[in-house]
DNA sequence: GATGAGCGC
């Protein structure tokens, strides 16, 4: 196992006594506010505005965070020290997120992304730590384990961008399906397996069960270069990743190309064929 | 087990 208990200085949470990858049905003593909110939430499945009293207490940042705020400027600028967190439930707010890691003293802030129109959480957020190392420890230690007060697994990853940065299209992705993966294969391992031979690799993702966080045994690898995608389909089929040979197939692309990504002649054919432009945007 | 969906104003 690559994972290790958090090194000195960081008190591991109580559920972290064993292998973090072994999911536990551990239930932490439940803060009442969260439970109450959870119940409110479950009763009427509301599409629209958060009930008043959604947030039990406004978030006064713990005083220790302010100390670290000062440190922040000294920390390497441009260093990514935020984690992206997904699969959040609706009642999980900034308080909840910072609370989880408060004992480390290394959390700077948390942000839950909400829909601008409805104000409802989008199901993901960001957590900023005092350093990349701190964030990495959290990622290693918690990813895949149960979130407090739930049997929902943490889904954590590096934040790809800093706040305010724009995600730019680097062109289309060429994706392959990879099946027969061993249970221990992670996004990172999958990507590394291809990286040396296919430099255009953009990312790899192992599909996991939403609640347990366990691998479903298949995933996707994205390339920037179509030729590398095509080569990988044959060259990597049957190659070992972790302990098992991969079975590679074409990816069923759920996300259609944008109109600009089609070759010119093909665009016209689509239009003549009555395919609406807006379906492709 | 067999075709996801996840990046901030």
């Amino acid at each position: 196992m690559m994972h290790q208990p958090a090194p000195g200085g960081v008190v591991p949470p109580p559920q972290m006594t064993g292998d973090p990858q072994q999911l536990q049905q551990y239930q932490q003593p439940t803060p009442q506010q969260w439970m109450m909110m959870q119940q409110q939430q479950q009763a009427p499945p509301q599409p629209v505005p958060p009930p008043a009293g959604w947030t039990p207490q406004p978030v006064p940042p713990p005083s220790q965070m302010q100390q670290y705020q000062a440190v922040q400027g000294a920390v390497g600028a441009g260093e990514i020290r935020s984690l992206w967190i997904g699969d959040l439930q609706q009642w999980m707010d900034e308080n909840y997120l910072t609370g989880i890691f408060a004992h480390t003293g290394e959390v700077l802030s948390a942000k839950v992304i909400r829909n601008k129109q409805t104000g409802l959480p989008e199901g993901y957020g960001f957590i900023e730590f005092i350093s990349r190392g701190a964030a990495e420890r959290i990622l290693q230690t918690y990813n895949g384990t149960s979130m407090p007060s739930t049997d929902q697994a943490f889904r954590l990853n590096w934040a790809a961008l800093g706040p305010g940065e724009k995600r730019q299209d680097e062109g289309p992705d060429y994706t392959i399906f990879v099946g027969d993966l061993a249970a221990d294969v992670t996004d990172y391992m999958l990507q590394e397996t291809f990286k040396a031979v296919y430099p255009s690799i953009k990312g790899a993702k192992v599909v996991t069960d939403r609640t347990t966080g366990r691998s479903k045994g298949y995933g996707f690898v994205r390339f920037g270069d179509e030729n590398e995608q095509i080569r990988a389909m044959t060259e990597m089929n049957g190659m070992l990743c972790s302990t098992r040979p991969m079975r590679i197939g074409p990816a069923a692309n759920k996300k259609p190309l944008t109109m600009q990504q089609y070759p010119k002649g093909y665009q016209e054919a689509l239009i003549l064929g009555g395919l609406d432009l807006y379906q492709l945007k």
Side-chain angles (χ1 to χ4, degrees):
Chain A
M1 289 292 109
M2 320 182 294
H3 295 188
Q4 303 199 336
V10 177
V11 183
Q15 68 267 46
M16 291 286 87
T17 49
D19 179 350
Q21 291 199 321
Q22 293 191 333
L23 300 169
Q24 305 165 26
Q25 300 306 341
Y26 172 86
Q27 296 274 336
Q28 183 161 302
T30 308
Q32 300 128 346
Q33 306 111 336
W34 295 340
M35 286 316 282
M36 287 170 52
M37 295 170 73
Q38 213 167 356
Q39 281 152 10
Q40 284 175 9
Q41 171 59 21
Q42 281 163 353
Q46 318 210 32
V48 197
W54 187 256
T55 309
Q57 68 269 51
V59 191
S63 49
Q64 43 170 244
M65 285 187 201
Q66 311 225 333
Q67 298 168 3
Y68 283 118
Q69 207 76 38
V71 174
Q72 191 180 1
V75 175
E79 160 185 87
I80 294 178
R81 53 179 190 276
S82 293
L83 298 179
W84 178 94
I85 182 167
D87 288 353
L88 296 180
Q89 296 172 7
Q90 300 239 322
W91 55 274
M92 296 173 173
D93 58 9
E94 282 81 356
N95 273 315
Y96 173 80
L97 294 178
T98 53
I100 297 170
F101 309 111
H103 67 276
T104 67
E106 299 185 307
V107 179
L108 281 178
S109 64
K111 183 178 189 178
V112 171
I113 304 306
R114 295 181 173 79
N115 183 286
K116 285 195 196 67
Q117 273 77 46
T118 64
L120 289 173
E122 297 277 17
Y124 71 92
F126 297 88
I127 307 167
E128 187 184 10
F129 295 88
I130 59 166
S131 67
R132 184 175 177 84
E136 184 157 24
R137 282 191 287 278
I138 297 299
L139 183 60
Q140 298 288 6
T141 311
Y142 285 84
N143 208 11
T145 66
S146 293
M147 300 182 77
S149 312
T150 71
D151 52 9
Q152 168 88 40
F154 274 106
R155 182 170 294 200
L156 293 164
N157 220 323
W158 286 108
L161 308 161
E165 287 182 71
K166 262 268 178 72
R167 163 166 294 232
Q168 70 259 26
D169 314 338
E170 294 117 12
D173 290 348
Y174 301 96
T175 305
I176 61 173
F177 171 90
V178 184
D180 252 356
L181 296 175
D184 67 319
V185 174
T186 61
D187 292 359
Y188 182 76
M189 288 166 63
L190 189 57
Q191 168 150 352
E192 290 303 303
T193 304
F194 286 82
K195 195 175 188 176
V197 192
Y198 309 99
S200 83
I201 190 162
K202 282 185 168 179
K205 177 172 160 178
V206 174
V207 176
T208 54
D209 181 279
R210 222 177 144 72
T211 49
T212 66
R214 292 192 48 142
S215 167
K216 288 188 174 174
Y218 66 90
F220 298 88
V221 180
R222 294 179 298 121
F223 303 89
D225 177 358
E226 187 176 14
N227 291 316
E228 292 192 359
Q229 175 208 33
I230 293 167
R231 280 177 41 214
M233 297 264 290
T234 56
E235 292 174 358
M236 296 299 280
N237 195 36
M239 298 293 284
L240 215 57
C241 181
S242 180
T243 56
R244 294 168 63 171
M246 299 178 283
R247 218 196 70 190
I248 295 183
N253 235 341
K254 287 191 145 182
K255 196 154 85 181
L257 298 175
T258 65
M259 196 42 121
Q260 287 78 12
Q261 287 167 350
Y262 284 101
K264 255 280 164 55
Y266 199 64
Q267 293 182 19
E268 289 159 14
L270 289 174
I271 293 165
L272 288 173
L275 196 48
D276 194 324
L277 254 178
Y278 294 102
Q279 293 177 341
L280 297 169
K281 274 317 255 185

